[in-house]
């Protein structure tokens, strides 16, 4: 009888030892999994506003160091450029989409980003001549014979950096600062200003002068603020 009890106690003791051993072995794996879950949120959506316009993008982070985003931006507005003898009335249309790869060098919230965007950004405009009458007022005369279109390159590489600050559970503010290489803007002009007394040479010289002024504008700054909504 005592022998049976001893065998039973020994069996229970062996089971207890195996249970404790299994618990000890599982602790590192469990701790690592918990740390991984707390170190970053794998997927998110970000409505944003930036120099590219109003946008939305989705992101995914595979691990502590690598992630990617894809999104699109759009914006339209009008503005007037005032010159000495004329005003340039412009209609601006910003439309672009792209993908970005993010590297987190410190396995935290700071990232270095690179990517590419497809751009359909353009400016349509027309010239309106100013005729001064005395010193008190100016009359603006629409010039339907001089219109122009300004476009950026369709493919634009991107390089930048960003940071996210948590504001509440599953929500954070996201900041990005970078630049697109947009190339020299393309200027197309349709003008018949000779009907206002200008020669064709004067018109062509002025168009080339404006193209030269635009040529250095090849870098487009990107400043973006967004709200990350995490899943």
């Amino acid at each position: 009888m005592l022998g049976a009890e001893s065998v039973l106690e020994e069996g229970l003791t062996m089971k207890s030892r195996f249970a404790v051993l299994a618990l000890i072995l599982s602790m590192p794996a469990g701790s690592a999994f918990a740390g991984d879950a707390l170190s970053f949120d794998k997927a998110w959506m970000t409505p944003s506003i930036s120099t590219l316009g109003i946008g939305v993008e989705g992101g995914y982070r595979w691990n502590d160091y690598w992630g990617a985003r894809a999104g699109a931006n759009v914006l339209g507005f009008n503005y007037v450029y005032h010159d000495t003898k004329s005003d340039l009335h412009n209609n601006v249309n910003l439309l672009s989409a792209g993908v970005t790869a993010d590297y987190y060098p410190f396995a935290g919230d700071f990232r270095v980003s690179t990517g590419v965007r497809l751009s359909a950004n353009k400016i349509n405009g027309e010239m309106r001549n100013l005729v001064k009458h005395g010193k008190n007022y100016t009359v603006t005369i629409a010039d339907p014979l001089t219109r122009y279109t300004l476009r950026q390159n369709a493919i634009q590489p991107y390089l930048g950096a960003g940071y996210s600050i948590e504001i509440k559970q599953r929500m954070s503010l996201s900041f990005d600062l970078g630049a697109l290489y947009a190339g020299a803007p393309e200027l197309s002009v349709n003008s018949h200003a000779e009907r206002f007394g200008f020669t064709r040479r004067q018109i062509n010289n002025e168009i080339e002068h404006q193209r030269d002024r635009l040529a250095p504008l090849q870098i487009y700054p990107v400043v973006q603020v967004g709200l990350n909504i995490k899943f």
Side-chain angles (χ1 to χ4, degrees), residues 13-81:
T13 302
M14 291 297 294
K15 288 183 178 180
S16 300
R17 289 175 181 173
F18 279 119
V20 171
L21 181 60
L23 179 62
I24 292 173
L25 292 176
S26 67
M27 286 179 65
S31 300
F33 180 81
D36 182 68
L38 293 175
S39 62
F40 61 87
D41 293 278
K42 287 189 174 181
W44 65 89
M45 179 176 292
T46 307
S48 65
I49 184 169
S50 72
T51 52
L52 299 172
I54 299 171
V56 63
E57 64 182 8
Y60 188 84
R61 190 167 171 177
W62 290 280
N63 53 47
D64 281 331
Y65 296 98
W66 291 101
R69 290 173 287 157
N73 297 78
V74 63
L75 185 65
F77 61 93
N78 298 319
Y79 82 96
V80 180
Y81 177 81

Side-chain angles (χ1 to χ4, degrees), residues 3 15 65 87 101 105 126 132 148 161 163 187 193 208 221 224:
K15 288 183 178 180
Y65 296 98
D87 285 344
E126 65 177 12
K132 292 187 177 180
Y148 55 88
Y163 192 78
L187 176 64
E208 291 306 316
Q224 178 169 287

Side-chain angles (χ1 to χ4, degrees), residues 129 143-146 191-200 203:
N129 297 314
D143 176 3
L145 305 177
T146 302
S191 178
H192 299 281
E194 67 271 9
R195 301 183 187 182
F196 290 92
F198 295 95
T199 65
R200 175 50 56 179
I203 297 171

Side-chain angles (χ1 to χ4, degrees), residues 184-225:
E186 177 187 340
L187 176 64
S188 301
V189 180
N190 180 19
S191 178
H192 299 281
E194 67 271 9
R195 301 183 187 182
F196 290 92
F198 295 95
T199 65
R200 175 50 56 179
R201 174 175 289 184
Q202 288 175 317
I203 297 171
N204 291 337
N205 287 343
E206 181 60 27
I207 293 173
E208 291 306 316
H209 175 64
Q210 298 304 327
R211 286 199 176 108
D212 292 340
R213 290 178 61 185
L214 292 169
L217 304 178
Q218 300 184 20
I219 304 298
Y220 188 84
V222 177
V223 180
Q224 178 169 287
V225 179

